[in-house]
Amino acid sequence: MVATKAKSASVRVRFPPSPTGHFHVGGARTALFNWLYARQHGGKFILRIEDTDAERSDQKYEIELVEALKWLGLDWDEGVDWQLVNHEWQGSSRGEHGPYRQSERAPVYKRYLEKLLHDGKAYYCHCTKEDLEAERQAQLAEGMPPKYSGHCRNLTESPRGKKPELIRFKTPEARMEFKDLIRGTVSFDASLFGDLVIARSVESPLYNFAVVVDDYEMKITHVIRGEDHLPNTPKQILFARALGFPEPLYGHLPLILASDRSKLSKRFAEVSMLKYRDEGYLPEAMANFLAFLGWHPKDDREVFSLEELKGEFDLKRVQKAGAVFNQEKLDWLNAQHMRRLSIDELLNRLQPFLGEKGIAAPKSFVRKVIAAERERMKTLGDFLKLAGFFFELPDYDAALLVWKGNSMARIKEVLEKILARLEKSRASDFSREKLPGAVAELIKEYDRGAVLWPLRVALSGQSASPDPLAIAGVLGKEETLRRVTAAINKIGLAL
Ligand code: GLU
């Protein structure tokens, strides 16, 4: 609470989202950078919900945010004694913390608003919306940039019959600068601001004021946030100075841009983190992707777990230039991270994506399916699309069985010979390693495509799949014979 204490305290950072929309890539990147900075300095990561705008705030976004932070593995420290149970906040006896919420802290802001009013550093403004609009129009007509004229700054008593409308800060007319951790020295001309509105009443502070009070009360040492907040920083520094607070260090993260360096479209910018989760991106891949939005390591390594990022991340290596959002990179990272997982771990992560048939199937079978398909999967959500045929053969057209340059009758003949060979093979020989022997002679007699293509279609019902002998290995003798027989019958009907 003492003004000098924050300076000597260890690192304390905050992530203060407004629950007015989905928790998207920009917010998640800010959360991650703060979390990494806190964790690598043995500091604290504070989560604060900025819900002073009651009309636009919605608890559903707060719940989404908490779920997404937990999914990403970004745990926070301190907070109020609440926890999220079945999508509702409940009093916690388990010591879990819910985030701080500005809507629950009105008395704190009131104290500081009253102090500024008492010290003559803020004043009640009685100008109505209409007064202000008239003033603005007059300034524009004279070709001047609009700013509040300071009409109510020196009133000694309230104008009769007029209620105070707002509380304004007496902005000093000065140039000011601060040292940004990423952008270097940034300077502003505060005289362009005019007297800033800091509250609608002592009960109802505005964003810029509440942030300054909270950052002080929560002993925040570093404010790391998106570059879109840069215009707020000089205002917040002015308020902090007027209240005698120490100034935290500021670092503004670069904008996130589309691949052609234009503004990132809503299609990408506003996608909820939970949507990525539901599509089957791994949280470690998402964190890895977010980390590279404005940062890169010393060498050219690209695949990092959250734990590895903790060791490697360095705020000093965050760039000023816009960071490009590249969907292909996310897909690539996701595939890389999936390859890092053991089959059992993948099986675990795939549970929500298995579908009814996948869940009902024996675990040993699903493990084999995963091993056969993992190289082709970009997301967990791809699993059923790619591997669904293992669980249930989709319907397909007899014509698909025909390899180019062959007749249906010839393919039927090939399939009958494959069937005969496979019937003679031992069930224990049904593996990718041992099955080639069973079809080697047929391949010599007909050719690779004429043998393996109809086998692929017979076993998968589709034109793209893993190696057909690997499929046969996973399906086992009985099911393989059943599917090849079904293919022969299908052609028989079509001939
Ligand atoms: N509540 C603000 C937002 O969601 C963040 C404020 C800050 O980082 O200072 O954009």
Side-chain angles (χ1 to χ4, degrees), residues 14 16-18 48 50 207 211 215 223-225 228-229 236:
R14 57 3 164 236
S18 305
R48 180 172 83 217
E50 304 210 319
Y207 156 72
V211 162
D215 285 348
V223 170
I224 301 167
R225 59 186 175 191
D228 47 325
H229 282 288
Q236 294 176 5

Side-chain angles (χ1 to χ4, degrees), residues 195-336:
D195 284 352
L196 297 161
V197 180
I198 51 176
R200 282 185 209 96
S201 72
V202 286
E203 316 288 344
S204 176
L206 295 193
Y207 156 72
N208 268 323
F209 186 79
V211 162
V212 170
V213 170
D214 281 340
D215 285 348
Y216 167 68
E217 286 269 327
M218 296 173 191
K219 303 186 182 73
I220 299 304
T221 55
H222 297 69
V223 170
I224 301 167
R225 59 186 175 191
E227 194 184 297
D228 47 325
H229 282 288
L230 199 53
N232 290 324
T233 304
K235 300 174 187 171
Q236 294 176 5
I237 292 176
L238 287 173
F239 303 156
R241 286 183 188 165
L243 286 162
F245 297 164
E247 289 159 38
L249 295 169
Y250 290 92
H252 290 89
L253 307 174
L255 293 176
I256 301 176
L257 304 174
S259 47
D260 60 359
R261 308 198 72 81
S262 64
K263 190 166 174 269
L264 191 61
S265 72
K266 282 191 178 185
R267 193 159 88 84
F268 293 111
E270 291 178 10
V271 176
S272 163
M273 277 295 121
L274 293 188
K275 187 143 186 288
Y276 289 105
R277 177 195 67 182
D278 297 345
E279 283 177 6
Y281 288 92
L282 300 178
E284 53 268 57
M286 181 49 80
N288 193 163
F289 174 70
L290 293 169
F292 274 75
L293 289 174
W295 169 83
H296 56 93
K298 286 193 272 315
D299 49 33
D300 53 10
R301 276 175 308 151
E302 293 192 280
V303 184
F304 291 88
S305 67
L306 195 55
E307 204 47 40
E308 290 162 339
L309 283 174
K310 228 159 81 180
E312 201 68 26
F313 180 79
D314 184 352
L315 199 58
K316 289 199 196 84
R317 298 188 63 80
V318 173
Q319 72 205 37
K320 271 190 254 180
V324 171
F325 180 102
N326 181 341
Q327 178 70 39
E328 286 87 58
K329 173 115 183 203
L330 173 59
D331 290 345
W332 180 80
L333 281 171
N334 205 52
Q336 298 301 313

